[in-house]
Amino acid sequence: MRTYKLNDWLPTTKKEVEARGWDYLDVILFSGDAYVDHPSFGAAVVGRVLEAEGLRVAIVPQPDWRGDYRDFKKLGTPRLFFGVTAGAMDSMVNHYTANKRLRSDDAYTPDQRPGMRPDYPSIVYTRILKELYPDTPVVLGGIEASMRRLTHYDYWQDKLLPGILESSPADLLIYGMGEKPIRELVHRLRSGVPFHDIRDIRQTAYLADKVGANPDDIRLFSHEECLRDKLKQAKNFRHIEEESNKYHVARILQQVGQHTIVVNPPFPPMSEAEIDASYDLPYTRLPHPKYKGKVIPAFEMIKFSVNIHRGCFGGCAFCTISAHQGKFIASRSEASISREIKAITEMPDFKGYISDLGGPSANMYQMRGKDERICAQCKKPSCIFPSVCKNLRADHAPLLHLYKKVDQTPGIKKSFIGSGVRYDLLLHRYEDERLNKAAQDYTEELIAHHVSGRLKVAPEHTQDKVLRLMRKPSFSLFERFKRIFDKVNQRNGLHQQLIPYFISSHPGCTEADMAELAVITKGLHFQLEQVQDFTPTPMTLATEMYYTGYHPYTLEKVHTARTKEQKLAQRLFFFWYKPESRQAIKQALARIGRKDLIDKLFFSRR
């Protein structure tokens, strides 16, 4: 078992800085999350990347933004810049439910204590730093800033907001995964380029008074035009999403008042060597010792898990993963994964079980285009919707080999898959029989040996018209997968559960659609647990449909449940099996003219 000293973490206090013999810092990072030194926590990753560049770095987790700002003053001024992130989640998703009720806990805070970060820390922290240190550059990053880099709908304020740089006085915004841009920024600064002259680093955005003309630029409708015309906001989104999913990307410009937000193209996807280098940094994989005796739920959930790739080519309408990580898969090598597995076996309370070998999706490891020249011409947001692309090499063999290698590691009793499985990749019939065989073998291996009692999958809905708007496959595929799941369980004498995830109130979904969902899932003997009401989050297709009322690609109108009452009416159908819901559901079915479903829900045999 490995033991650690305090200096194995990045310093968080003046005392910890002095214990290293440092008399200055190069970069100070402020994060809305507790400091967990693990590659699943963005502030830790950026801190370790900067450390690997030879810089002196400190992290101030969850600074007190009220009162005298002592947490913002305690480490003084960094030599290069401050870094700010709201944390691993958008702060408003972290703080509020889909019904805009304040949450009573925070999974990224010790002992789930609420109130340890403000709403919109990306704005609040940066304003405080600029008030205290007006001449020191501030670099903004993390998912909150990334997804709000251009005009976006904010569900919690119920209005269209400008790109976050109009509200946050940060000098530079890094969007997406930050390793490559932050490293490039440091190289430029070291070469003597003044911070404010750095304007062309990929995957960054900045606010400009004047921008030189470039014929390849995409100039969006201005923020003010979008405020006046929702159709223009819908049209903007299509450009933004398509540029997020291309090999060769244009610079995006958007006017906001007298300024222009400039979004530079992203870096190409990480190579295997680059992503390995990030995950191989000397993380302790543990919370900072200051949290001793306290539980950080977000860490507990992933502490014995391993992320094997980044990116997702699913393109689901309600998901931010591809917008943040990209649709092209960046996979780690088996050697890098093995090194992390070995580190986990040396953790003090490890009992031999890996909770997840996964990523944004469980089964996209090492998948890519067969002919990258075709990928270079593509701007589709999904490689598997409405059907699996013929150019996709969806080979499950590398994943099978990885599972077996991990399970042969000394100290490992079993590895489980906790990430969501894309069953459409497993059930698709490929022209190459080798791929069909690998998918079939993977399905058997997964169900028989890697399910911790329950396997998560996400059909999201049962009605095809809603699923098309979600960019999800037909529910008939889920039904096929369930039959396979049940057969493999029976064959192996197992009693495992398939846990489907569903969403209510998604754009395009009606009460009648939810009623049909209730009848269909009842027929499959499900009493749904993993359900959620659609929450609009910045920079997703579903959010744009919700706010504008149009589908950005077809410009057709889309019905959406918007009021609290409409949302609760849809959510009610998830719980048809609860006695207290029965009367309200019967009344709703009568109101929408679907009395024919009453018998199917409450009186037909199961």
Side-chain angles (χ1 to χ4, degrees):
M1 185 176 75
R2 184 177 169 185
T3 56
Y4 291 97
K5 307 182 296 293
L6 183 60
N7 278 3
D8 290 323
W9 281 262
L10 297 172
T12 64
T13 64
K14 188 172 178 60
K15 186 175 179 181
E16 290 171 34
V17 171
E18 291 170 345
R20 293 181 173 225
W22 293 354
D23 55 0
Y24 70 89
L25 288 163
D26 293 300
V27 179
I28 303 172
L29 304 175
F30 288 83
S31 173
D33 292 339
Y35 172 32
V36 180
D37 192 43
H38 187 285
S40 292
F41 290 76
V45 174
V46 171
R48 291 299 186 183
V49 166
L50 292 168
E51 179 189 52
E53 290 293 320
L55 300 182
R56 297 180 176 185
V57 188
I59 293 181
V60 181
Q62 301 189 313
D64 187 350
W65 70 99
R66 295 156 292 206
D68 59 5
Y69 301 158
R70 67 182 64 185
D71 286 342
F72 292 88
K73 299 174 183 175
K74 65 183 181 182
L75 298 180
T77 311
R79 190 174 63 88
L80 296 180
F81 57 84
F82 289 109
V84 168
T85 174
M89 292 176 68
D90 185 284
S91 63
M92 304 307 283
V93 178
N94 179 284
H95 282 170
Y96 300 94
T97 68
N99 283 324
K100 301 184 183 180
R101 292 175 59 185
L102 189 64
R103 297 185 192 274
S104 59
D105 54 23
D106 182 342
Y108 291 86
T109 298
D111 291 340
Q112 305 185 71
R113 183 179 170 188
M116 293 298 287
R117 78 184 90 207
D119 290 352
Y120 311 106
S122 304
I123 297 171
V124 175
Y125 293 171
T126 308
R127 284 179 176 171
I128 292 170
L129 289 169
K130 279 298 184 182
E131 179 185 328
L132 296 174
Y133 312 100
D135 299 325
T136 304
V138 176
V139 180
L140 188 57
I143 197 160
E144 179 171 277
S146 181
M147 298 296 98
R148 295 171 180 267
R149 58 188 182 264
L150 292 159
T151 294
H152 58 281
Y153 172 69
D154 185 281
Y155 173 65
W156 299 273
Q157 295 187 47
D158 191 25
K159 66 180 182 181
L160 209 59
L161 297 181
I164 199 167
L165 287 172
E166 181 69 8
S167 308
S168 164
D171 300 276
L172 194 69
L173 184 154
I174 289 176
Y175 66 91
M177 308 304 281
E179 294 103 322
K180 293 173 84 168
I182 201 78
R183 195 178 288 119
E184 177 65 18
L185 175 62
V186 168
H187 291 174
R188 298 281 188 94
L189 293 172
R190 278 180 162 165
S191 70
V193 181
F195 190 100
H196 293 288
D197 289 348
I198 300 171
R199 287 290 180 262
D200 62 342
I201 293 178
R202 285 176 172 268
Q203 222 163 298
T204 63
Y206 61 93
L207 199 64
D209 293 329
K210 292 183 180 179
V211 181
N214 183 332
D216 295 327
D217 289 343
I218 291 177
R219 190 172 285 275
L220 302 176
F221 292 111
S222 72
H223 175 66
E224 289 72 21
E225 287 177 291
C226 293
L227 285 174
R228 291 191 295 268
D229 186 349
K230 290 183 176 182
L231 195 58
K232 288 182 176 178
Q233 172 66 13
K235 290 178 178 178
N236 271 3
F237 178 79
R238 180 171 181 173
H239 284 303
I240 295 166
E241 185 176 55
E242 287 182 342
E243 292 304 307
S244 298
N245 290 297
K246 287 165 60 177
Y247 262 31
H248 307 296
V249 182
R251 189 172 69 159
I252 294 177
L253 310 178
Q254 186 179 34
Q255 195 80 15
V256 184
Q258 300 303 308
H259 302 115
T260 300
I261 292 178
V262 181
V263 180
N264 291 320
F267 275 97
M270 279 182 148
S271 66
E272 183 178 88
E274 287 170 333
I275 194 169
D276 280 359
S278 180
Y279 280 90
D280 289 348
L281 293 169
Y283 304 99
T284 63
R285 302 188 92 262
L286 295 167
H288 189 277
K290 66 162 65 178
Y291 308 123
K292 186 176 181 181
K294 297 179 179 178
V295 174
I296 302 173
F299 166 68
E300 295 297 323
M301 188 172 75
I302 54 88
K303 73 179 187 177
F304 300 136
S305 70
V306 178
N307 197 344
I308 62 176
H309 78 268
R310 286 183 186 167
C312 179
F313 49 71
C316 296
F318 47 82
C319 183
T320 60
I321 290 171
S322 62
H324 189 66
Q325 295 191 12
K327 77 172 182 182
F328 299 105
I329 304 301
S331 298
R332 297 171 64 186
S333 68
E334 282 192 358
S336 174
I337 293 166
S338 293
R339 286 191 287 273
E340 188 172 359
I341 293 287
K342 186 176 185 301
I344 290 174
T345 65
E346 296 171 357
M347 290 176 71
D349 50 350
F350 182 63
K351 301 292 192 294
Y353 299 97
I354 299 294
S355 61
D356 186 24
L357 276 173
S361 215
N363 55 319
M364 291 184 182
Y365 179 68
Q366 288 195 10
M367 293 186 184
R368 60 179 65 87
K370 298 171 189 172
D371 184 345
E372 293 202 0
R373 292 171 300 179
I374 296 174
C375 294
Q377 302 300 316
C378 178
K379 57 183 180 181
K380 288 176 61 178
S382 175
C383 302
I384 53 180
F385 179 87
S387 60
V388 176
C389 177
K390 289 185 177 181
N391 190 48
L392 178 65
R393 184 182 287 115
D395 189 357
H396 286 81
L399 202 47
L400 265 172
H401 187 266
L402 176 66
Y403 289 179
K404 289 174 181 176
K405 183 170 183 177
V406 167
D407 285 352
Q408 290 166 3
T409 304
I412 299 298
K413 297 175 182 176
K414 206 171 183 64
S415 61
F416 298 111
I417 308 307
S419 302
V421 175
R422 290 298 305 226
Y423 51 78
D424 41 354
L425 281 173
L426 297 175
L427 300 179
H428 180 74
R429 291 298 300 174
Y430 302 95
E431 292 177 357
D432 186 342
E433 278 303 320
R434 188 181 60 84
L435 298 184
N436 292 326
K437 179 69 164 58
Q440 183 180 343
D441 291 347
Y442 174 84
T443 304
E444 292 269 345
E445 173 73 16
L446 169 73
I447 298 169
H449 302 294
H450 298 279
V451 176
S452 180
R454 313 173 103 198
L455 180 66
K456 295 188 297 188
V457 292
E460 307 295 8
H461 215 285
T462 59
Q463 303 308 103
D464 282 346
K465 74 179 184 68
V466 181
L467 289 166
R468 280 193 295 272
L469 290 170
M470 290 178 163
R471 292 187 183 144
K472 296 288 288 186
S474 170
F475 190 71
S476 62
L477 280 186
F478 171 77
E479 293 176 299
R480 277 178 57 197
F481 185 74
K482 183 181 184 303
R483 289 194 292 271
I484 294 169
F485 183 85
D486 292 342
K487 283 180 183 176
V488 175
N489 270 284
Q490 189 176 26
R491 205 159 46 235
N492 290 274
L494 300 170
H495 301 283
Q496 300 174 145
Q497 287 182 288
L498 192 61
I499 305 299
Y501 283 59
F502 289 94
I503 295 177
S504 60
S505 302
H506 189 277
C509 180
T510 64
E511 280 185 80
D513 294 321
M514 292 303 298
E516 296 280 7
L517 181 152
V519 169
I520 290 170
T521 54
K522 177 194 174 182
L524 293 171
H525 309 299
F526 285 115
Q527 291 189 358
L528 302 181
E529 305 169 26
Q530 298 296 333
V531 299
Q532 67 180 81
D533 191 27
F534 169 68
T535 304
T537 55
M539 212 169 161
T540 70
L541 173 64
T543 296
E544 298 302 321
M545 290 190 283
Y546 177 91
Y547 167 71
T548 67
Y550 296 100
H551 193 298
Y553 285 78
T554 66
L555 301 184
E556 293 175 352
K557 290 190 174 182
V558 180
H559 163 84
T560 303
R562 290 187 58 88
T563 68
K564 181 179 179 181
E565 292 72 25
Q566 289 170 335
K567 286 172 162 287
L568 289 173
Q570 289 205 18
R571 184 178 173 83
L572 180 67
F573 285 98
F574 283 138
F575 308 110
W576 60 267
Y577 55 87
K578 293 186 176 181
E580 62 269 28
S581 301
R582 180 175 293 200
Q583 190 57 36
I585 289 175
K586 286 181 179 179
Q587 290 172 354
L589 290 172
R591 175 172 47 79
I592 64 174
R594 294 303 308 270
K595 285 185 176 181
D596 58 301
L597 298 181
I598 293 176
D599 282 353
K600 293 181 180 179
L601 267 182
F602 300 117
F603 301 114
S604 60
R605 294 185 179 181
R606 296 194 55 179

